[in-house]
Amino acid sequence: MMRRVCGGRGPGSLIAAVQTEQKTPDQAVSDDKGARRAVTVFPVLVLVAGVAGLVTPGTFTGWTESVPYLLGIVMFCMGLTMTPLDFRGVAKRPWAVAIGLVAHYVIMPGLGWAIAHLLGLPPQLAAGLILVGCAPSGTASNVVTFLARGDVALSVSVATVSTLVAPLVTPPLTLLLAGAYLPVDAGSMITDILKTVLLPVLGGLVVRLVAGKAVDRVLGVMPWLSSLAVAAIVCAVVAGSASMIKSAALTVLIAVVLHNGLGLALGYAAGKAARLGKPASRAMAFEVGMQNSGLAASLATAHFSPLAALPAAVFSVWHNISGALVAAWMAHRSRRDEAASEDAGPPLGTATAESA
């Protein structure tokens, strides 16, 4: 739930603006620039952190123990950006939200298992990739949906619900699909998700409801604080498995690209199959294909090993790059279709009726 980026109207205000107001052309351009800045800077920041962890792993010795606390910061910032409007969106369109939720927790876990099996990944990497698939929606999916001219309200609703139900869904799915590769303590995983995801999110939401005006004044800092925390998580993960990364990097990259790409495609297809319309189908693509890789990295580090967290670290960089590229392509097609529709003019019957 990225809400506002420093300097004018950015992702921090654009989501609420899309849902509640008619924007002027200048505001729309400002929102678009803010969103593009967010999805450009974030993967670069994470990539730099990953390279630092790989080149000088000794510098970050001991950072692995901080990963759950860093994730807590990310989720608390997410809670601070949430408003009752997010939950009203769920109540208004429960069917569409339910489709998005089911698609997310069926498609991505299934793809993770299938790709791990197809590529013959070693147990640690296979479990890590499956765990990425079992995580809730990515926190940048709303911004990318906006860039794609998708249904932002639906995107926010699906991301919200997928995060809140993660303690009940992620551990049993991981046990079911990754249990053949490594032992999975689902009960302990539930506890960890409650502590590092649900409690910080609810805490942030309560603070927003109690001290909304004060939070609004610092809301611009939240996406950058979250980005720094995720970058630190990636740095810790990479540093913890630096000695093994060189032999596994290419395989993990191929697995992540397949996982993310197929997730985006099948998410869009699910929206089309459910006849939700093009804007909602674009939102579905990103709510399915983009994952909370920070949570996956934290859980993999705590329950498996730093090497098992490597797919999540790579996914954190890649899904933001691919998301921005796919969003640009979708937005281009949307504008082209609108232009073609305007050139064609109104239907004949409409024109006749108006002239009459």
Side-chain angles (χ1 to χ4, degrees):
M1 310 280 176
M2 298 180 68
R3 289 286 180 184
R4 188 177 178 84
V5 172
C6 56
R9 294 169 60 89
S13 57
L14 66 86
I15 294 173
V18 168
Q19 295 177 351
T20 60
E21 67 179 33
Q22 293 293 323
K23 296 182 290 183
T24 66
D26 288 343
Q27 289 172 333
V29 170
S30 178
D31 286 349
D32 191 65
K33 287 182 178 178
R36 290 183 188 280
R37 187 186 308 123
V39 297
T40 300
V41 173
F42 179 63
V44 171
L45 181 63
V46 173
L47 182 60
V48 169
V51 171
L54 182 63
V55 174
T56 60
T59 306
F60 308 101
T61 301
W63 278 39
T64 302
E65 289 77 9
S66 303
V67 168
Y69 302 101
L70 292 167
L71 177 63
I73 292 173
V74 175
M75 303 317 295
F76 181 74
C77 291
M78 178 179 177
L80 287 175
T81 69
M82 297 172 74
T83 68
L85 184 65
D86 299 333
F87 299 95
R88 285 201 293 269
V90 178
K92 286 180 179 179
R93 290 193 293 175
W95 171 244
V97 175
I99 292 173
L101 192 65
V102 171
H104 179 87
Y105 279 118
V106 170
I107 292 173
M108 290 304 279
L111 283 175
W113 178 87
I115 292 169
H117 184 72
L118 178 67
L119 297 181
L121 296 181
Q124 297 284 348
L125 295 179
L129 186 68
I130 291 170
L131 186 51
V132 171
C134 296
S137 296
T139 53
S141 58
N142 308 151
V143 176
V144 178
T145 297
F146 170 80
L147 287 175
R149 309 185 81 183
D151 189 332
V152 179
L154 178 61
S155 174
V156 171
S157 296
V158 173
T160 300
V161 176
S162 73
T163 300
L164 294 179
V165 303
L168 301 176
V169 179
T170 298
L173 275 176
T174 306
L175 175 62
L176 175 66
L177 299 174
Y181 292 98
L182 291 175
V184 177
D185 187 345
S188 176
M189 193 175 287
I190 290 173
T191 302
D192 284 349
I193 297 177
L194 287 172
K195 291 190 297 185
T196 60
V197 176
L198 194 58
L199 288 181
V201 167
L202 293 178
L205 177 59
V206 170
V207 171
R208 178 70 183 272
L209 294 176
V210 172
K213 291 184 179 180
V215 172
D216 286 342
R217 287 195 291 269
V218 298
L219 208 56
V221 180
M222 295 301 104
W224 301 112
L225 181 59
S226 296
S227 298
L228 287 172
V230 172
I233 291 173
V234 170
C235 184
V237 168
V238 172
S241 56
S243 61
M244 296 172 281
I245 283 178
K246 291 182 179 180
S247 61
L250 181 59
T251 302
V252 171
L253 179 61
I254 293 171
V256 165
V257 171
L258 286 173
H259 199 186
N260 171 243
L262 290 173
L264 292 170
L266 292 177
Y268 185 84
K272 294 288 286 184
R275 299 182 180 180
L276 296 180
K278 288 185 178 180
S281 296
R282 295 183 201 121
M284 289 277 287
F286 300 114
E287 289 309 316
V288 172
M290 298 184 72
Q291 301 295 93
N292 189 330
S293 50
L295 172 60
S298 176
L299 292 176
T301 301
H303 292 269
F304 302 139
S305 70
L307 181 62
L310 183 58
V314 175
F315 203 99
S316 184
V317 178
W318 175 254
H319 77 157
N320 283 283
I321 296 173
S322 66
L325 292 174
V326 172
W329 175 70
M330 286 182 171
H332 172 73
R333 289 195 61 181
S334 176
R335 285 189 289 265
R336 185 188 65 186
D337 292 344
E338 288 179 3
S341 178
E342 290 175 0
D343 290 341
L348 183 60
T350 303
T352 303
E354 289 176 353
S355 62

